Amino acid sequence: MHSHLETIFGEAENRYLTAQELSLVNQYVESLPVRMEAYRFLKDHELEIMQHVADQLQAVMPQEKTENLERGIRNALLMLRYCAMGMLLNDESFVKNKLHGWLNATLSFYNTQQINTTLYRLLNQQVSAALSPAHASLITPVLGMAQNLLQQNASVPALVS
């Protein structure tokens, strides 16, 4: 759940919510059905989305080792699931916390920055194309934030090629 909402709910024993806080809770509740629809769509169409992305990645980067492409696709699948949950919860910090745990380790161990950059661009494009505009507008900022986090960490030197 959005961290600000968690803070608001944590104050329940001390006071009632202010009008501004009630408005925030109302916005969260009203947007929940649409976010749930988007989440369900991603869950139900994950295989088709990822297969399309994998096919595109292989076509764009035929020189790359299959194991590196597969590793990147598995990581992208995990990132997509984290982003979908972050979108459902309306909490980008959820995604940041989850990605931070394994992203640095993965990028520092494997030299796959170019694969990941291409892969996440393709994933973002495919998700945007697969979802309705209303649903895409919910997940795109979260995917973009994850992609930016990846690019920020791309400067980590690789230990193993």
Side-chain angles (χ1 to χ4, degrees):
M1 185 178 314
H2 193 278
S3 58
H4 189 66
L5 288 174
E6 285 183 47
T7 303
I8 290 172
F9 293 147
E11 291 287 317
E13 73 271 4
N14 296 327
R15 61 182 174 82
Y16 285 99
L17 300 178
T18 65
Q20 183 179 3
E21 291 167 335
L22 281 171
S23 177
L24 180 64
V25 171
N26 190 54
Q27 288 172 351
Y28 177 79
V29 171
E30 286 181 348
S31 69
L32 189 56
V34 177
R35 286 185 281 115
M36 287 180 66
E37 288 173 7
Y39 182 88
R40 283 186 184 117
F41 182 91
L42 290 170
K43 177 181 149 294
D44 293 344
H45 294 89
E46 175 186 78
L47 182 60
E48 298 108 57
I49 290 169
M50 291 306 297
Q51 185 62 55
H52 190 269
V53 170
D55 293 345
Q56 285 182 312
L57 183 66
Q58 196 167 22
V60 171
M61 304 184 96
Q63 75 286 359
E64 288 294 335
K65 294 180 185 177
T66 302
E67 64 193 31
N68 287 340
L69 295 176
E70 288 174 353
R71 183 178 302 108
I73 291 166
R74 282 192 305 272
N75 287 341
L77 178 62
L78 183 58
M79 186 203 61
L80 178 60
R81 290 176 179 172
Y82 284 146
C83 287
M85 182 57 71
M87 181 256 328
L88 180 62
L89 297 172
N90 197 23
D91 188 0
E92 287 186 4
S93 67
F94 170 85
V95 178
K96 287 179 184 176
N97 292 337
K98 292 293 185 181
L99 291 181
H100 186 71
W102 61 268
L103 186 62
N104 287 337
T106 300
L107 289 177
S108 66
F109 192 73
Y110 300 104
N111 189 15
T112 57
Q113 290 87 352
Q114 184 61 40
I115 293 170
N116 290 334
T117 300
T118 302
L119 176 62
Y120 295 133
R121 180 182 47 78
L122 293 171
L123 178 61
N124 203 345
Q125 289 171 353
Q126 184 60 31
V127 167
S128 293
L131 291 169
S132 70
H135 292 152
S137 70
L138 296 171
I139 190 73
T140 302
V142 183
L143 284 171
M145 183 271 310
Q147 189 174 1
N148 288 338
L149 187 61
L150 172 76
Q151 290 171 346
Q152 290 171 2
N153 287 297
S155 61
V156 175
L159 300 176
V160 175
S161 300

